Amino acid sequence: RVPVALVIFLFGVIVATSQTQSTFLSGPKMPTLVQSNGGDFARALANAALPQLPLTLLNSIIATQALASELFPDRPCSVGRLAVSIGVLNVVFCWFGAVPSCHGAGGLAAQHRFGARTTLSIVVLGVVKLVCALFFGTSLHPLLKAFPKSVLGVLLAFSGLELALKAMPRSSATQQELTVTLCTAAVALVYKTGIGFLFGVVLWLLLSGLA
C-alpha cells in the first residue's frame, strides 16, 4: 500500500521549504537541566496540571485504552500501564525542558488509519523526532511555521474522521448507550471535556436508576 499520509506530509515539507530561506542544519542541541522552585510547581499545578487532568484521564488513558483494545485485541493494554507511562514520561523529561506529553486516542486512530500496525512504526517516529531535535533544533521553527495549513488540515480531518467512526455507537448499542453518547458529546462540545464527562456519568446513573 502507498503510505498516503507520508506522501501528503512530504508534499507539505517541500512547499514549506520552498517558502523559507533559513539554514536548517544548526548542529547538535543537547538538553540542559531546568532550574525551578516551589513557586513554579504551584503555578504549574494550578494553571496547567489540574485543568488538564480531565482531558488527560479521558482522552489519554480511558479512550486510548478502549480504542487500543478494539484495534489490537490480541495486544491488550491496561489503563494502569498508560497512566504510569504518562507519569514517568513527564516526571523524567520535565527537568530537561520538555513540554507536557501524553498518549491520545486521536493520534492512535490517525496512525492506525494511515497504516501503522506494529511497534516498529512508533520506533521509527521516535528516531526521526530525536534526529530533528538533536541535529536541527530551533532552526526548524521557520519550516514548521511555513508548513501549509491546508495540508495539515487534510491530515487532521482524516484522523478526526477515523476517531469519530470508531466512537460511533455499535449497531447493538442500547437506547440508553446511544442517548448518553450523544448527550455527552454535545455537552463536551458546548462547554468542556470535563463537564461533558461529568454530565455523561450523571446521566448514565440517572437512566440506570430509572431502568
Side-chain angles (χ1 to χ4, degrees):
R1 296 179 57 185
V2 178
V4 179
L6 183 59
V7 173
I8 296 175
F9 172 75
L10 291 178
F11 171 76
V13 171
I14 293 173
V15 173
T17 304
S18 66
Q19 297 177 353
T20 57
Q21 305 297 326
S22 302
T23 301
F24 296 120
L25 188 59
S26 61
K29 297 290 184 180
M30 301 305 296
T32 58
L33 288 176
V34 175
Q35 302 296 326
S36 59
N37 52 48
D40 294 331
F41 282 102
R43 286 190 296 271
L45 179 64
N47 299 325
L50 292 181
Q52 180 68 18
L53 188 58
L55 182 60
T56 298
L57 290 175
L58 295 175
N59 180 61
S60 301
I61 299 177
I62 297 176
T64 301
Q65 190 275 335
L67 181 60
S69 299
E70 180 177 339
L71 297 177
F72 306 102
D74 57 326
R75 285 174 279 175
C77 179
S78 67
V79 294
R81 290 178 61 186
L82 289 173
V84 170
S85 64
I86 293 175
V88 172
L89 176 69
N90 287 282
V91 168
V92 172
F93 289 101
C94 70
W95 301 105
F96 300 96
V99 297
S101 304
C102 63
H103 302 292
L108 176 59
Q111 291 162 1
H112 186 272
R113 174 65 178 81
F114 291 122
R117 294 294 185 274
T118 66
T119 306
L120 181 61
S121 61
I122 305 302
V123 173
V124 172
L125 177 61
V127 170
V128 171
K129 288 183 175 181
L130 283 174
V131 170
C132 289
L134 294 176
F135 292 97
F136 296 93
T138 56
S139 68
L140 286 179
H141 284 178
L143 180 66
L144 296 177
K145 291 181 180 179
F147 195 88
K149 300 298 188 296
S150 56
V151 175
L152 184 61
V154 170
L155 295 173
L156 292 176
F158 274 105
S159 63
L161 178 62
E162 182 69 13
L163 184 59
L165 292 175
K166 295 299 182 183
M168 288 290 290
R170 305 174 304 277
S171 58
S172 59
T174 64
Q175 185 66 35
Q176 177 178 334
E177 291 175 334
L178 180 61
T179 300
V180 173
T181 298
L182 296 178
C183 290
T184 301
V187 173
L189 287 174
V190 175
Y191 297 101
K192 294 181 178 180
T193 305
I195 296 177
F197 170 71
L198 293 176
F199 178 85
V201 171
V202 173
L203 181 60
W204 175 269
L205 293 176
L206 289 175
L207 293 178
S208 297
L210 293 176

